[in-house]
Amino acid sequence: MGRAKALVVWGTGSGVGKSLFAAGLLRHFKRLGLEAAPFKAQNMANHARVVRGGEMASAQWLQALAAGVEPEVRMNPVLVKPFGERGAQVVVWGKVDPFLSGLPWKERRPHLEAPVREALEGLLAEYDLLVLEGAGSPVERNLWPDLPNLRVAEWADAKALLVADVDQGGALGALYGTWALLGEHRKRLIGFAFNKFRGDLELLKPAYALLRDWTGLPVLGTLPLLPLALPEEDGFRYRQPAGNGPKVALLRYPHAANLDEFWPLSELAQVVYAHSPEEAEGAWLLILPGSRLPARDLPWLRAFLPLIQRHLEAGKPVLAVCGGAEMLSEALLDEEGVEERGHFPGLGLLPYRVRMAREKTVERRRVRLRGLSGYWGRLEGLEVEGYEIHHGQGLPLFHQEGSLLATWLHGLLENPGVQKALFGREARGLEEGLEALADALERHLDLRALHRALGLTGRVFPASPTGAKAPDVDPPPPPGLVLLLGGAKSGKSRFAQRLAGPFATLIATAEARDEEMAEKIRRHQEERPPTWETLEEPLDLPGALKRARHPTVVVDCLTLWVANLMERGLDPLLEARRFLSAVEESGKRVIAVSNEVGMGIVPQNPFARRYRDLLGQVNALLAEAAQEAYLLVAGRALPLGGGKVPAQEAKRPGSHGGEPGPGRSRDPGP
């Protein structure tokens, strides 16, 4: 297997949707039959999952599910879990690294490059495609050299998509500003995408043209604000619509962690993220989630103690998970300062004392629930899956105290059997959400541009294992010659650019012999897509064709090429035949631009008359060999010899439509 292709999803900032874009793209590539995998060099989050090798960020866990591959720690080699304002726990390849956790950020960074690159190179060697997620913004230039955005994109030779959040406001300025600050790294960009839009899309459409005019890059589309029940990286940027069901209050203490495990509640219940006891009043179920620093969250939670006691006295259920259960114990003991040094009295609702151990428990679990009664008895006998991730010791895996169920096990509510037992129905599940996310990306974005940039065009992919119809992938450009004729300023070059698309090689035959020609060349360069390769070659077209990297080549123009040949005493007809042989051997689609000079005034100069005649003969020779030929008149493309205007051109004002003729491919449309 060769080295994988790579696409990096950059954002204009945190929370703009990089994680969901990456997940949706991975599901899209899975549908195409590609072996794809996620990668985020460094993630800062308190939401983690236990996978093969240790713990990784929940976002990359979800992305691995989207790609249909087993999550593993190489997909997120560095996870930074903040300790409030006093530091962070650094997890490298799934394991806590005490040495790095104790270093300041600037001193820590040089130690991270080696494990990040090792993980990246390993994945690049094993997969067809990697979708990299950037961190924050790639243009925090005060932090350059930027490891999770720019350095890994360089190592993977990744193409880039830049995403902005319309819902936050300022998306147009954020995209342009990020592009402007990227400097030499702009070369990786394929285009832009807007996310979380609601309202009339026509109000946003003018931004597409502005961005293209300013940057030369396209907007690939706009994703609307999607009501998907998928876990988000920090759990609280976007509120899901209230589900139908009982009121469930999830107590949102300052250092709450692993909140993503409660994603099913957005569908099964009316969820309230309670910051005060008043917000939790009237709830049927109280949930105390995990906590990154339970000792610091205890003072906040004490204000809820009367509410929790009344709730339990009424026989209503309370679920306390991991750090939430630790705070309900008699005491928290942390003599070594693993999380917060000291002895902290708990709320006393559980008959246990919790001691913080330096060795962290990180383990996936499958257990059968036994010994439950009352409300929680409906879970009796169920086999459930989840994971442990904690420093605390001293609590059983499960313990029931009246209507209070305390557990170390994260992910209990993600089990369909538990959902059905507690809520009478199952959440639709992550698979349905991921499918809907991929559907939305395929419907609202021009993913063909990504296919072209990643070299996916022309590949044959197996059918989806689920039987779903895979989206169309751009076919390779049909090989052969396309000839564009016309007078000066007739629109030949622009038409050639539209036919060629965003990725082509231009063979430029012009030489800047005077200021007027130099200015003309400069204008053409500004109008040309920045993704094109340019080869300056006034004479040797066959040689330039061999050097061209792209499967589509534009020769602009034959008019100057014939003049250059005549000035050097070369035979244009002989050279034209050599060129035609090179086109056939190359297997490329070659779009040749030439002036039609034979319809004007007969020149008085014999050399000029000879030039006019030779150019006419060269045009005729190429037209005879061309699969397609067009005459451009006042910007209109008129097909010659039975060819028809391509579908996308037929839609343009002033163009003549028609069905594709023999030897031509149909444009698959957007």
Side-chain angles (χ1 to χ4, degrees):
M1 178 183 293
R3 198 167 190 261
K5 307 283 187 181
L7 171 69
V8 60
V9 180
W10 285 334
T12 56
S14 297
V16 301
K18 297 185 294 292
S19 297
L20 284 183
F21 259 74
L25 288 169
L26 282 160
R27 177 51 56 97
H28 166 72
F29 292 129
K30 178 179 182 290
R31 291 175 174 182
L32 299 183
L34 286 165
E35 289 287 333
F39 182 82
K40 184 164 185 174
Q42 177 178 304
N43 204 337
M44 180 176 286
N46 278 325
H47 289 24
R49 297 281 175 151
V50 177
V51 299
R52 176 159 56 97
E55 58 180 305
M56 68 185 294
S58 295
Q60 280 62 63
W61 168 83
L62 178 67
Q63 291 162 7
L65 297 187
V69 297
E70 182 183 359
E72 56 160 305
V73 295
R74 288 187 302 172
M75 297 169 182
N76 172 218
V78 179
L79 173 61
V80 180
K81 307 181 86 168
F83 275 133
E85 297 178 1
R86 71 176 181 86
Q89 186 179 78
V90 181
V91 179
V92 180
W93 278 58
K95 307 295 183 186
V96 176
D97 189 315
F99 170 71
L100 291 180
S101 300
L103 291 180
W105 180 82
K106 287 186 177 180
E107 296 178 28
R108 180 193 309 152
R109 206 168 76 176
H111 298 276
L112 299 178
E113 286 200 1
V116 166
R117 184 150 198 184
E118 183 181 352
L120 176 64
E121 294 295 341
L123 295 173
L124 286 168
E126 296 173 23
Y127 287 91
D128 297 327
L129 174 67
L130 293 190
V131 176
L132 285 56
E133 180 190 334
S137 162
V139 293
E140 303 294 339
R141 300 192 67 154
N142 51 305
L143 303 179
W144 282 14
D146 179 315
L147 174 62
N149 289 298
L150 304 180
R151 189 65 59 83
V152 295
E154 178 186 351
W155 290 339
D157 193 21
K159 302 295 183 183
L161 174 67
L162 182 60
V163 178
D165 181 355
V166 180
D167 199 46
Q168 290 185 18
L172 174 60
L175 286 171
Y176 180 72
T178 302
W179 175 87
L181 288 170
L182 272 170
E184 63 179 7
H185 302 284
R186 294 178 205 152
K187 63 186 178 185
R188 300 200 179 278
L189 281 176
I190 300 165
F192 308 107
F194 290 100
N195 189 28
K196 300 182 187 178
F197 181 78
R198 44 188 167 180
D200 183 0
L201 187 59
E202 292 304 312
L203 297 176
L204 186 62
K205 284 290 182 69
Y208 289 23
L210 289 172
L211 282 168
R212 179 179 280 281
D213 289 346
W214 294 341
T215 70
L217 293 171
V219 174
L220 302 189
T222 296
L223 198 64
L225 191 63
L226 300 172
L228 298 178
L230 290 172
E232 294 207 24
E233 191 163 38
D234 65 4
F236 291 95
R237 285 197 180 275
Y238 168 53
R239 295 287 187 271
Q240 301 286 353
N244 295 319
K247 179 178 178 179
V248 175
L250 196 151
L251 307 193
R252 180 63 167 98
Y253 20 87
H255 302 94
N258 290 79
L259 299 168
D260 59 298
E261 66 179 282
F262 300 108
W263 64 265
L265 295 176
S266 64
E267 182 182 338
L268 301 173
Q270 301 176 54
V271 186
V272 174
Y273 297 105
H275 294 80
S276 67
E278 291 73 22
E279 290 179 301
E281 284 287 353
W284 163 74
L285 170 65
L286 297 181
I287 296 179
L288 281 67
S291 168
R292 189 70 200 88
L293 288 171
R296 289 196 179 190
D297 284 336
L298 261 170
W300 184 95
L301 189 59
R302 286 191 190 281
F304 282 78
L305 182 57
L307 170 70
I308 296 171
Q309 290 173 325
R310 290 196 307 270
H311 198 87
L312 293 173
E313 289 167 3
K316 293 182 179 181
V318 175
L319 175 64
V321 180
C322 198
E326 292 176 2
M327 290 187 285
L328 297 184
S329 67
E330 293 178 351
L332 295 176
L333 307 176
D334 190 354
E335 291 93 343
E336 297 186 56
V338 174
E339 292 183 350
E340 184 81 5
R341 187 184 300 275
H343 180 174
F344 306 93
L347 298 189
L349 299 181
L350 293 173
Y352 299 99
R353 294 164 68 85
V354 175
R355 188 179 302 276
M356 294 299 164
R358 190 163 294 281
E359 188 68 25
K360 191 174 189 179
T361 300
V362 178
E363 185 178 356
R364 287 205 60 80
R365 298 293 297 267
R366 180 194 292 266
V367 297
R368 191 170 296 278
L369 301 179
R370 299 293 189 191
L372 301 181
S373 61
Y375 170 79
W376 296 108
R378 62 186 70 187
L379 302 183
E380 180 70 15
L382 286 180
E383 188 175 71
V384 298
E385 291 184 349
Y387 56 98
E388 292 184 66
I389 181 168
H390 54 87
H391 284 283
Q393 302 294 326
L395 292 175
L397 182 61
F398 280 91
H399 176 78
Q400 183 177 351
E401 193 81 22
S403 59
L404 166 63
L405 181 64
T407 180
W408 288 122
L409 194 74
H410 290 279
L412 181 66
L413 293 181
E414 293 182 303
N415 288 267
V418 172
Q419 297 165 13
K420 190 169 184 180
L422 299 184
F423 298 93
R425 57 197 171 98
E426 297 178 9
R428 289 191 294 270
L430 296 181
E431 276 297 304
E432 184 169 325
L434 291 168
E435 286 292 313
L437 176 59
D439 287 343
L441 284 174
E442 291 170 2
R443 184 165 58 251
H444 295 286
L445 267 65
D446 177 15
L447 297 182
R448 296 175 303 158
L450 299 184
H451 299 162
R452 287 191 291 267
L454 295 170
L456 303 181
T457 56
R459 290 195 53 172
V460 178
F461 299 107
S464 166
T466 63
K469 182 181 182 297
D472 291 333
V473 179
D474 276 3
L481 180 65
V482 179
L483 181 63
L484 307 184
L485 300 171
K489 296 296 182 180
S490 61
K492 302 184 299 300
S493 295
R494 286 190 178 88
F495 185 66
Q497 184 173 308
R498 293 198 292 268
L499 285 182
F503 296 95
T505 295
L506 174 75
I507 301 176
T509 62
E511 295 177 292
R513 299 183 179 183
D514 53 50
E515 290 185 6
E516 181 184 358
M517 181 57 73
E519 175 62 19
K520 185 175 182 180
I521 291 172
R522 187 191 64 77
R523 288 199 306 271
H524 275 278
Q525 288 172 340
E526 289 179 350
E527 295 170 356
R528 198 175 301 146
T531 46
W532 280 25
E533 174 193 32
T534 299
L535 301 178
E536 305 282 351
E537 180 48 65
L539 297 172
D540 185 14
L541 294 187
L545 195 55
K546 287 182 180 179
R547 300 196 305 274
R549 291 191 296 111
H550 293 292
T552 299
V553 177
V554 175
V555 179
D556 195 355
C557 65
L558 299 178
T559 317
L560 293 173
W561 177 61
V562 169
N564 295 339
L565 293 172
M566 291 179 65
E567 285 183 355
R568 289 161 174 84
L570 299 172
D571 183 350
L573 292 174
L574 178 61
E575 294 299 323
R577 292 187 179 93
R578 286 185 60 235
F579 172 59
L580 287 174
S581 296
V583 170
E584 185 174 355
E585 292 171 4
S586 72
K588 298 178 184 292
R589 177 175 170 85
V590 179
I591 302 169
V593 176
S594 184
N595 278 32
E596 185 56 63
V597 300
M599 296 185 291
I601 299 172
V602 177
Q604 293 184 350
N605 186 311
F607 185 85
R609 289 195 295 272
R610 176 62 177 158
Y611 167 73
R612 181 195 63 171
D613 293 345
L614 277 173
L615 181 57
Q617 290 175 282
V618 168
N619 288 345
L621 186 64
L622 268 61
E624 185 177 355
Q627 276 69 37
E628 307 167 41
Y630 302 92
L631 177 65
L632 275 292
V633 179
R636 296 189 178 191
L638 308 175
L640 303 175
K644 300 294 181 182
V645 177
Q648 76 269 30
E649 293 305 317
K651 298 174 185 176
R652 298 181 183 274
S655 295
H656 295 284
E659 290 299 313
R664 296 203 61 253
S665 65
R666 291 177 180 268
D667 177 70

